[in-house]
Amino acid sequence: MLRSVLGSLWRPSTEKSARCKYLGRVVLGGSVLWCAAIAACYTWRLDAWAAVTVFPIWVWVLGGLTIIATARSCAGRRATVAVASAWCVVLFAFADHPTSLLWWPGGASDRTVRIVSLNCAGSSAAVREIVEMQPDIVLVQESPGREPLASLAHELFGDEGHVLSGVDASLVARGEITPLSIPTSVVSNAVRARIKIADKIEVEVVSLRLEPPLVRVDLWSPDCWREQAANRRRRRKQLEAIVAAIEPASSDFPLIVGGDFNAPPRDAVFDELRPLHDAFGEAGRGWGNSIINSAPFLRIDQIWLSSQLHATGVYCSKTEHSDHRMLICDVLPPKP
């Protein structure tokens, strides 16, 4: 009698435990497949997968870890830790230079050339914020017009200040600015010039703002995937046209290409800039994300340098009048 009662009490618990373990295995197995798929997307970064890679990697890692956490009571501890570790490996493999968090901005020396890049969102007040950084070269995007830039040039550099004002992107410098040609297809996206700072450097500079990204989270829609792929192709085509005019491999001058790329770090479009290198990857300091200003989660503002130039410090500074943070890059010029 007692045996039959105990058996009736035990069987439902056993069946429930079996169902729980099965559910845990299903969740962990699905998480492993998802982790592998995300790793593949960020490894190859095909245009067809742009709907995934437009987001920073931590978005997907956070989602994967959250799902694992909901099933931790059903799945075995070892299996849960193993899958969570796999997600952490993916995070560190594809995160945007996490070692920059170990270092913080320092001061520039007399030898360095300071480059500042800022998407001003069309605001003259945002341009004024550049003054305290005391740059040698300024790259402006969503330019507010020539008059605020001329005022900035005069305040920073006096009679040595010059301006090259473009449709969307502009340049301000302490020294001579010689405009250079840019393809007509991207004349509204970029300006290009040779800048001579007498006591420091003569360099070719491009300030640009590429095709804005799409903000879509409806990944269940095929239309979302098609539009994200087309958006990246347009951005790549713009950068291809700019690079074709520059010919970085054969340039006689050191080269600086920077501004608002509207693309996440390590995006496939940056392959067009080789053999230039990402200055933040060389000397990033602190939190390098530049958008949005109040809660930066992505580093779309970047500066790329030719091999003759070496960054000694690259960091972002919060602004008050733009939705972007200001990008500051200290560069050591080549020896004469």
Side-chain angles (χ1 to χ4, degrees), residues 182-212:
I182 202 83
T184 55
S185 61
V186 289
V187 72
S188 62
N189 300 99
V191 291
R192 173 179 171 234
R194 187 169 300 136
I195 297 174
K196 185 177 182 180
I197 302 174
D199 59 337
K200 288 189 175 182
I201 195 173
E202 186 169 3
V203 64
E204 187 174 331
V205 184
V206 174
S207 175
L208 56 77
R209 178 174 178 261
L210 301 182
E211 175 86 9

Side-chain angles (χ1 to χ4, degrees), residues 7-21:
S8 65
L9 293 173
W10 176 254
R11 278 193 298 273
S13 177
T14 303
E15 291 173 1
K16 183 178 180 181
S17 177
R19 288 196 298 269
C20 185
K21 289 181 179 179

Side-chain angles (χ1 to χ4, degrees), residues 42 45 53 94 96-97 263-268 270 278 289 298-300 302:
Y42 280 82
R45 297 182 185 265
T53 57
F94 299 106
D96 180 29
H97 304 292
R266 301 186 182 183
D267 192 80
F270 293 109
D278 179 7
N289 295 341
L298 208 58
R299 187 170 64 90
I300 64 175
Q302 301 183 25

Side-chain angles (χ1 to χ4, degrees), residues 96-106 278-288 299 311-316 327-330:
D96 180 29
H97 304 292
T99 54
S100 68
L101 298 175
L102 303 176
W103 307 94
W104 296 98
D278 179 7
F280 190 83
E282 182 179 26
R285 303 288 185 265
W287 192 252
R299 187 170 64 90
T312 59
V314 185
Y315 61 96
C316 281
L327 177 61
I328 299 97
C329 176
D330 292 326

Side-chain angles (χ1 to χ4, degrees), residues 22-36 67-68 75 79 83:
Y22 176 76
L23 177 62
R25 287 195 293 269
V26 169
V27 171
L28 288 185
S31 184
V32 168
L33 292 176
W34 185 14
C35 182
I67 291 176
I68 293 172
V83 177

Side-chain angles (χ1 to χ4, degrees), residues 7-324:
S8 65
L9 293 173
W10 176 254
R11 278 193 298 273
S13 177
T14 303
E15 291 173 1
K16 183 178 180 181
S17 177
R19 288 196 298 269
C20 185
K21 289 181 179 179
Y22 176 76
L23 177 62
R25 287 195 293 269
V26 169
V27 171
L28 288 185
S31 184
V32 168
L33 292 176
W34 185 14
C35 182
I38 293 298
C41 288
Y42 280 82
T43 297
W44 288 289
R45 297 182 185 265
L46 302 180
D47 290 346
W49 300 341
V52 172
T53 57
V54 71
F55 296 99
I57 187 65
W58 60 262
V59 170
W60 303 112
V61 173
L62 182 61
L65 293 177
T66 301
I67 291 176
I68 293 172
T70 61
R72 68 184 185 279
S73 60
C74 294
R77 181 180 178 183
R78 290 184 178 179
T80 301
V81 170
V83 177
S85 299
W87 276 109
C88 290
V89 168
V90 169
L91 173 63
F92 285 104
F94 299 106
D96 180 29
H97 304 292
T99 54
S100 68
L101 298 175
L102 303 176
W103 307 94
W104 296 98
S109 70
D110 292 338
R111 286 195 61 214
T112 56
V113 174
R114 171 158 287 187
I115 306 160
V116 168
S117 178
L118 177 61
N119 183 314
C120 294
S123 168
S124 300
V127 172
R128 298 283 308 145
E129 297 185 58
I130 299 172
V131 174
E132 65 177 292
M133 294 301 170
Q134 293 299 300
D136 296 293
I137 299 172
V138 180
L139 284 61
V140 178
Q141 304 84 45
E142 290 197 68
S143 179
R146 182 176 178 81
E147 186 175 338
L149 298 180
S151 177
L152 173 68
H154 186 267
E155 183 170 355
L156 282 172
F157 315 123
D159 293 338
E160 293 183 298
H162 292 83
V163 173
L164 174 59
S165 181
V167 177
D168 195 342
S170 299
L171 286 168
V172 178
R174 181 172 64 86
E176 300 175 17
I177 296 181
T178 304
L180 299 175
S181 63
I182 202 83
T184 55
S185 61
V186 289
V187 72
S188 62
N189 300 99
V191 291
R192 173 179 171 234
R194 187 169 300 136
I195 297 174
K196 185 177 182 180
I197 302 174
D199 59 337
K200 288 189 175 182
I201 195 173
E202 186 169 3
V203 64
E204 187 174 331
V205 184
V206 174
S207 175
L208 56 77
R209 178 174 178 261
L210 301 182
E211 175 86 9
L214 293 176
V215 181
R216 294 190 61 166
V217 295
D218 54 332
L219 300 185
W220 57 87
S221 169
D223 185 57
C224 172
W225 292 74
R226 286 192 295 267
E227 287 196 10
Q228 289 286 15
N231 179 264
R232 181 197 275 174
R233 284 192 289 267
R234 288 193 294 271
R235 196 175 299 113
R236 178 189 286 109
K237 189 174 181 180
Q238 291 171 348
L239 196 53
E240 282 177 351
I242 294 169
V243 171
I246 297 170
E247 297 181 357
S250 59
S251 177
D252 295 329
F253 296 91
L255 181 60
I256 299 168
V257 179
D260 181 2
F261 288 88
N262 276 316
R266 301 186 182 183
D267 192 80
V269 299
F270 293 109
D271 293 341
E272 304 299 328
L273 288 175
R274 307 297 177 188
L276 275 64
H277 63 278
D278 179 7
F280 190 83
E282 182 179 26
R285 303 288 185 265
W287 192 252
N289 295 341
S290 58
I291 189 74
I292 55 176
N293 183 44
S294 57
F297 65 93
L298 208 58
R299 187 170 64 90
I300 64 175
D301 296 275
Q302 301 183 25
I303 290 175
W304 286 66
L305 308 171
S306 60
S307 59
Q308 304 101 311
L309 301 173
H310 297 282
T312 59
V314 185
Y315 61 96
C316 281
S317 178
K318 190 174 182 179
T319 60
E320 295 183 8
H321 302 284
S322 175
D323 56 344
H324 287 243

